Amino acid sequence: MLRDKLNEAMKDAMRARDTAALGTIRMILAKLKEIDIASRTEASREGVADDRILSMMQGMIKQRNESIALYEKGNRADLADKEKAEIAVIERFLPQQMDEAAVQAAVSDAIKTAGATSIKDMGGVMAALKAKFAGQMDFAKASTVVKKTLAG
């Protein structure tokens, strides 16, 4: 489903001669192909599922955000703007991101469901959140909320 959406977007970008979007979409598809190849087994030659694609794209956004911080520190606004443009293209394929209140509610629910009582239970809570909210939640922020909630 998401894979088809990416391929259609690439064709649309080609037709529109949108070189920035086309380059970013090709980069996403190249990374996806790399992950597909790495996850192949003798029994299964199929590509990875949508949830894995979503987490891959969130990782790509995280990398770009880190690059933006470095470029801005090095006074390279041109490169930072390029990274921001790539993030905007990648975000077109992600579901709507959860706001702070929704993240807090999801974390509270996951803690109750997992029966977590201390920081030692954090792994189970994070696994449940990743399974349920892939692509919708910034898990670095969610991790901070889980730590605060379980600590006290």
Side-chain angles (χ1 to χ4, degrees):
M1 169 96 172
L2 188 53
R3 190 180 303 266
D4 297 333
K5 199 172 172 184
L6 286 164
N7 284 317
E8 279 304 310
M10 183 174 70
K11 291 174 190 172
D12 292 342
M14 285 177 170
R15 286 185 205 112
R17 300 195 193 295
D18 184 353
T19 56
L22 180 61
T24 303
I25 294 167
R26 282 184 171 156
M27 183 174 37
I28 293 169
L29 289 170
K31 179 77 173 170
L32 178 56
K33 186 169 189 155
E34 181 182 314
I35 289 174
D36 282 344
I37 290 169
S39 65
R40 281 186 188 160
T41 63
E42 284 297 320
S44 174
R45 293 285 183 201
E46 290 185 25
V48 295
D50 279 0
D51 61 335
R52 181 89 186 270
I53 296 171
L54 291 172
S55 76
M56 173 202 75
M57 288 194 295
Q58 289 214 299
M60 293 175 80
I61 288 174
K62 182 180 177 191
Q63 288 173 333
R64 274 147 194 77
N65 281 326
E66 291 168 357
S67 296
I68 288 169
L70 292 173
Y71 289 145
E72 287 175 347
K73 194 181 289 184
N75 294 324
R76 293 297 310 263
D78 56 328
L79 295 175
D81 290 342
K82 182 179 181 286
E83 297 289 325
K84 288 175 186 173
E86 288 179 0
I87 288 173
V89 172
I90 295 169
E91 285 178 338
R92 292 190 336 209
F93 302 101
L94 294 175
Q96 182 66 39
Q97 294 293 300
M98 297 172 78
D99 62 7
E100 296 294 324
V103 170
Q104 184 67 49
V107 166
S108 297
D109 186 48
I111 288 172
K112 286 177 192 165
T113 304
T117 56
S118 71
I119 291 289
K120 292 179 182 177
D121 302 321
M122 186 173 167
V125 173
M126 290 304 295
L129 289 171
K130 286 181 180 180
K132 192 171 182 181
F133 299 107
Q136 300 173 37
M137 181 184 288
D138 180 348
F139 293 110
K141 290 178 184 172
S143 172
T144 305
V145 173
V146 171
K147 283 178 188 171
K148 284 181 186 175
T149 307
L150 289 176

